[in-house]
Amino acid sequence: MTAAVLSGRELAAAIRAETTAEAARLSAAGTAPTLAVVVATADESSAWYVRSIARAAEQVGIACDVVDLGQEATGPEIRRTLDALSADDRVHGIILQTPLPPGVDAQEMALAIRFDKDVDGANPLSLGRLAAGLPAFAPATAEAVVRILEHHGVELAGRHVAVVGRSTVVGKPAAHLLLDRNATVTVCHSRTRDLAAVTSAADVVVAAAGRIGLITADHVAPGAVVVDVGTNPTEDGELVGDVDAASVAEKAGALTPVPGGVGPVTTALLLAHTVQAASALRRA
Ligand code: NAD
């Protein structure tokens, strides 16, 4: 069997088209959707990511303000910046870019992001609301996992989904979103005994561990659907997933590619959340 490729590109394009139309409507009505990205690192891959977000935002008509506090920024400085952006009526979405300087805790800082501007679901209150089934922005990557499966018609209700990874950015929120779709969810992590036994009993495997080649053919049932969230830099500057695509594609029924799977949908959703926030704040 050769697995079907579950691309994220068409879905991302459709989300961007909707977002462009909504951003134009809001701008014409006097609210120019604006996303603020707070940076406190000199990390090169972070800088690359911020540039790509800024470019993508501009393409759909969202203004992107990058607030670079420098790698020496302290916790109180970062918190004050997030407080100020939360109170600024001109700003509708706020992202706190990681990594942060040593000793500064991302979740502690993210508590200062007003929850209705928390477009990447970084504030622990957003995760709590998500778990409780209350309206909140989910981290865009976690939402991208569910949206890509739905887009390709993968049934989730009643099916067993194994999520590999329990971070607050991907694994945990993805598990909540999948539960919301009535999937039966198992969350695996670095202390899970016999990962292959758990994942190969699942209909759908979501790999979000940040480990190159962790998921091999031995980890998937014949015909299973596999979502590869991993974006791991290699020594030659490429990005590869957590799934050993060559072996898994011979056994799985369907597989998301890296790049071109979860990644483009994540960026598109971040922008969609920003116009949703702008629209809701305008009505408030
Ligand atoms: P993280 O390091 O915060 O969490 C990794 C999780 O994987 C942990 O819960 C850990 O317990 C688990 N894990 C690690 N090794 C394991 C093993 N051998 N077996 C089982 N579980 C194991 O990482 P993260 O921020 O959640 O990111 C995960 C991956 O997703 C990374 O590759 C990251 O680059 C990628 N990512 C992609 C996007 C995107 O837009 N495509 C966005 C965010 C993260």
Side-chain angles (χ1 to χ4, degrees), residues 4-269:
V5 178
L6 304 182
S7 167
R9 294 202 194 277
E10 314 80 62
L11 173 59
I15 296 170
R16 278 198 307 271
E18 267 175 42
T19 303
T20 305
E22 181 62 6
R25 197 188 64 73
L26 285 164
S27 294
T31 299
T34 301
L35 174 67
V37 184
V38 176
V39 180
T41 175
D43 182 76
E44 191 36 52
S45 55
S46 160
W48 180 89
Y49 180 72
V50 171
R51 281 195 299 274
S52 77
I53 293 284
R55 208 168 34 239
E58 276 151 29
Q59 279 166 1
V60 299
I62 294 175
C64 184
D65 292 351
V66 177
V67 183
D68 191 348
L69 300 175
Q71 58 183 328
E72 308 287 328
T74 63
E77 261 178 88
I78 296 171
R79 198 177 296 115
R80 269 198 305 278
T81 303
L82 294 171
D83 280 336
L85 293 167
S86 292
D88 185 344
D89 288 343
R90 215 182 43 82
V91 171
H92 309 104
I94 303 170
I95 300 175
L96 175 60
Q97 184 60 22
T98 54
L100 293 175
V104 182
D105 182 67
Q107 293 210 72
E108 278 296 326
M109 295 299 110
L111 281 166
I113 302 176
R114 188 176 145 164
F115 104 89
D116 48 5
K117 297 188 179 185
D118 185 24
V119 290
D120 203 18
N123 186 330
L125 291 177
S126 295
L127 183 57
R129 291 181 64 102
L130 203 68
L134 295 171
F137 289 115
T141 309
E143 188 177 337
V145 168
V146 172
R147 292 288 297 270
I148 209 166
L149 288 167
E150 288 178 339
H151 174 75
H152 288 285
V154 176
E155 180 70 41
L156 290 170
R159 303 193 71 203
H160 181 195
V161 183
V163 177
V164 184
R166 59 173 164 186
S167 73
T168 52
V169 181
V170 193
K172 281 182 189 161
H176 288 301
L177 292 171
L178 290 159
L179 277 174
D180 241 23
R181 268 72 173 180
N182 298 312
T184 302
V185 182
T186 305
V187 181
C188 311
H189 46 80
S190 51
R191 303 283 292 275
T192 297
R193 285 190 202 154
D194 201 351
L195 180 67
V198 180
T199 54
S200 60
D203 301 300
V204 178
V205 177
V206 177
R211 298 280 181 275
I212 295 175
L214 176 67
I215 304 298
T216 66
D218 290 343
H219 292 79
V220 299
V225 175
V226 181
V227 179
D228 192 353
V229 182
T231 45
N232 309 299
T234 65
E235 280 179 5
D236 8 326
E238 276 178 69
L239 280 186
V240 297
D242 287 359
V243 174
D244 174 31
S247 74
V248 169
E250 293 301 313
K251 194 169 175 193
L255 170 64
T256 65
V258 177
V262 172
V265 180
T266 298
T267 310
L269 284 172

